[in-house]
Amino acid sequence: MSDTLASETVTPVLEGKPSPFAVPTGCYPLTVSEVQHYTDRLFRFRVTRPREFRFRSGEFVMIGLPNSEKPVFRAYSIASPSWDEELEFFSIKVPDGPLTEHLQKIREGDTVLMRKKATGTLVNDALEPGKRLWMFSTGTGIAPFASLIRDPETYDKFDTLILTHGCRLVDELKYGQDLVAALREDPLIGELVEGRLIHYPTVTREPFERQGRITDLITSGKLFEDLGLPRMGPEDDRGMICGSMAMLKDTKELCISHGLEEGANNKPAQFVVERAFVD
């Protein structure tokens, strides 16, 4: 039986109970295999992956729940790499968010809906080759980079990967810290990561070893001084940006001021921006 036909006969599950709503046409019903809550604002979850579903590391999909005849869908970057047998997502919790108010309550065995097409600009194909890849993220904007730093193709294309992650509070950094620590011990990709992946977390609202908005740290040059790296330039450096609207705008302007040109899937250049958001 094809997955399309199978999805039409699946009875979705929500909060451990059968849902009265059918799986919409053009959607995969995915079973939740793991949920981890980090704070009252952040959690991650993993779901089954359909055999025929393909995506490039760094892309996003539209996610929803079987809780209505016309479910609310929001864009979520896939945090797992393209080779993973499951799909991972990292999400905020919004008390009155049309989707996240309900999504944060999912448990193992529940059904998550996913539209069948993946897309996005934070992919290796949208960048010209370079020596260093700067991944600028805030909050859950780290998700596409969680995918990319776990993909050997990224290490084939760049000598050094710098993952910056800005959050308000220290405990909001844990997803990224756990991710990088596990990656260094990973038997498949650990050797690639060694000496080539740099993790630069920073916070804005409480004491931490690194403090300040990433845009301010770029502007002042402290980011480059801390890492012992030259300031960005179009010859050697490439950038990817994912975060809040204000962060996207400011970081994009900084990349341009350093001589980098914005690229796209159909026109690779020196930096790219993701403009898909959740609630």
Side-chain angles (χ1 to χ4, degrees):
M1 182 183 295
S2 72
D3 283 347
T4 301
L5 290 174
S7 69
E8 293 174 356
T9 62
V10 166
T11 299
V13 176
L14 202 55
E15 295 185 44
K17 302 175 183 177
S19 168
F21 301 104
V23 176
T25 302
C27 289
Y28 292 117
L30 310 179
T31 302
V32 176
S33 59
E34 182 183 357
V35 182
Q36 181 178 359
H37 294 269
Y38 292 95
T39 71
D40 60 357
R41 295 186 67 249
L42 298 169
F43 72 108
R44 76 173 178 97
F45 60 97
R46 291 177 69 85
V47 295
T48 54
R49 177 179 178 173
R51 286 190 304 273
E52 79 273 24
F53 177 67
R54 298 289 180 267
F55 71 99
R56 294 177 296 173
S57 295
E59 289 189 315
F60 68 87
V61 288
M62 303 301 291
I63 290 289
L65 289 171
N67 59 358
S68 167
E69 287 187 11
K70 294 184 177 180
V72 172
F73 284 85
R74 290 290 185 267
Y76 271 79
S77 292
I78 303 171
S80 45
S82 60
W83 52 263
D84 203 323
E85 293 181 356
E86 291 189 322
L87 302 175
E88 180 175 300
F89 300 94
F90 185 40
S91 179
I92 58 173
K93 306 175 187 180
V94 180
D96 57 352
L99 176 59
T100 60
E101 176 186 6
H102 308 287
L103 188 64
Q104 63 185 288
K105 299 173 185 176
I106 59 172
R107 60 184 75 170
E108 286 185 31
D110 278 3
T111 304
V112 170
L113 304 176
M114 184 181 79
R115 289 185 178 155
K116 296 185 176 182
K117 180 175 173 55
T119 188
T121 56
L122 298 184
V123 293
N124 286 314
D125 293 345
L127 291 176
E128 296 173 349
K131 289 185 179 178
R132 290 177 290 271
L133 174 60
W134 295 87
M135 293 172 280
F136 299 114
S137 69
T138 55
T140 55
I142 193 175
F145 305 135
S147 175
L148 285 158
I149 65 173
R150 289 189 265 195
D151 193 327
E153 181 187 339
T154 312
Y155 297 87
D156 289 342
K157 192 162 186 176
F158 303 99
D159 296 333
T160 303
L161 281 58
I162 307 102
L163 172 64
T164 76
H165 188 206
C167 292
R168 300 181 311 164
L169 306 173
V170 173
D171 60 4
E172 295 175 344
L173 297 172
K174 185 168 173 55
Y175 175 81
Q177 291 169 331
D178 288 353
L179 168 72
V180 172
L183 203 52
R184 297 193 195 286
E185 301 299 322
D186 189 282
L188 296 176
I189 202 171
E191 289 184 6
L192 287 176
V193 172
E194 186 64 35
R196 297 176 63 191
L197 173 63
I198 299 170
H199 183 210
Y200 190 95
T202 180
V203 299
T204 57
R205 296 194 183 179
E206 61 182 12
F208 186 62
E209 59 185 306
R210 295 194 182 104
Q211 289 180 284
R213 296 181 185 280
I214 196 66
T215 47
D216 292 338
L217 296 167
I218 296 171
T219 302
S220 68
K222 189 174 189 311
L223 169 64
F224 309 106
E225 293 167 10
D226 285 349
L227 298 177
L229 294 173
R231 294 196 180 216
M232 290 187 296
E235 185 173 331
D236 294 330
D237 296 285
R238 303 292 176 260
M240 292 181 169
I241 310 169
C242 192
S244 68
M245 284 290 287
M247 179 268 192
L248 296 182
K249 177 178 177 292
D250 293 344
T251 312
K252 173 180 174 176
E253 290 175 357
L254 285 167
C255 285
I256 292 171
S257 74
H258 282 76
L260 277 63
E261 178 184 351
E262 185 172 3
N265 278 288
N266 60 355
K267 188 184 178 184
Q270 286 97 47
F271 80 93
V272 286
V273 180
E274 188 56 84
R275 296 179 174 84
F277 303 100
V278 178
D279 286 337

